[in-house]
Amino acid sequence: MCDLVPSDPDQPAFVVPTRGHKVKPLTTSMLEKAFARAIASIGLQAGSVTLHDLRRGGYTMAFQAGVPRELRQMHGDWRSDADYVYLSTTLRDRLQVPAALRNFVLAHGLYE
C-alpha cells in the first residue's frame, strides 16, 4: 500500500490520492460516505449499517472469541466501563450464567 500511495513521513497516516499525484488526508466523513455507498450497493437501506456498528460488532465478536476484557478495552481505546455498552450478548451467552451456577451447586453438593 505504501508503494501505491507514497507520502512523506510528516503526512497523516491515512491518505488518498488526488489528481496531480498529490495526496489528501482520509477523513471520517470520506470513510463514512464510502461505507454508506458500499452498504447501498448490496441492497441495504442507507444508514442501516454504520461504521460504528462495526465497532460494536467487533467488540462482541472478540467477547465471543474469548478475548479478555482488558485486551478488548485496550483495542477499543476504552479507559472506563463504557465498553460494556458495546457488548451484544445472545440468549445462549446469557444462559451460560445459570448453567455454570447449576454445575457448581451439583459439583459441590450444595443442594438438599
Side-chain angles (χ1 to χ4, degrees):
M1 182 69 172
C2 292
D3 292 336
L4 295 175
V5 187
S7 65
D8 296 324
D10 61 338
Q11 292 288 325
F14 299 100
V15 295
V16 293
T18 63
R19 293 188 180 121
H21 302 291
K22 295 184 180 186
V23 295
K24 64 180 178 180
L26 177 64
T27 65
T28 302
S29 177
M30 293 165 65
L31 196 54
E32 287 171 342
K33 288 176 185 175
F35 188 73
R37 284 192 303 272
I39 291 301
S41 75
I42 61 171
L44 294 176
Q45 184 179 8
S48 63
V49 181
T50 66
L51 288 173
H52 196 75
D53 293 321
L54 297 180
R55 181 173 172 87
R56 179 182 205 111
Y59 186 86
T60 297
M61 187 181 291
F63 168 78
Q64 291 171 338
V67 175
R69 180 172 183 238
E70 294 80 12
L71 293 178
R72 296 190 314 261
Q73 281 182 301
M74 189 175 13
H75 184 76
D77 201 27
W78 287 287
R79 291 176 182 81
S80 68
D81 289 338
D83 61 305
Y84 280 129
V85 173
Y86 289 83
L87 186 58
S88 297
T89 56
T90 64
L91 177 59
R92 182 181 299 222
D93 293 331
R94 292 189 300 271
L95 288 176
Q96 288 180 27
V97 175
L101 293 172
R102 176 188 173 277
N103 293 340
F104 181 84
V105 167
L106 293 175
H108 294 87
L110 301 175
Y111 59 93
E112 292 185 25

